[in-house]
Amino acid sequence: NGTQNNLQHKVNKMISLVKKMDHSEYIANTRKMTLSSLEYVRQDAAEAYSAFPDGPNAGYYADEVHYCSMEIKRRKVDN
């Protein structure tokens, strides 16, 4: 029926908007980022998370903050 199809379409659209992270790949990519890029991404992700802490991508943004912070700290320890 039309109502069920419309609901399924909305659900499918929402699912397609959810970001998925390959954690190993993301961590590896942070090693290639400049310090200014790491700081920018960390700040941007923190703002996105704060704006929508219960949103469908909140976990993704929290992971971005965490992984960028880890890399920034690693570089400070190594220097």
Side-chain angles (χ1 to χ4, degrees), residues 43-55 58 61:
Q43 181 64 34
D44 187 57
E47 290 173 7
Y49 179 83
S50 293
F52 302 102
D54 297 321
Y61 296 129

Side-chain angles (χ1 to χ4, degrees), residues 19-69:
K19 295 181 175 213
K20 294 182 179 29
M21 179 180 287
D22 179 328
H23 295 273
S24 298
E25 182 179 320
Y26 195 92
I27 292 168
N29 286 338
T30 62
R31 291 190 171 226
K32 301 172 194 167
M33 295 168 70
T34 64
L35 182 59
S36 61
S37 291
L38 287 165
E39 290 169 341
Y40 178 84
V41 170
R42 179 175 65 175
Q43 181 64 34
D44 187 57
E47 290 173 7
Y49 179 83
S50 293
F52 302 102
D54 297 321
N57 292 314
Y60 183 93
Y61 296 129
D63 288 339
E64 277 193 309
V65 170
H66 179 71
Y67 294 142
C68 288
S69 296

Side-chain angles (χ1 to χ4, degrees), residues 64-79:
E64 277 193 309
V65 170
H66 179 71
Y67 294 142
C68 288
S69 296
M70 282 177 30
E71 179 60 17
I72 291 167
K73 183 176 180 179
R74 185 191 70 79
R75 290 182 189 188
K76 287 181 180 177
V77 169
D78 287 351
N79 286 329

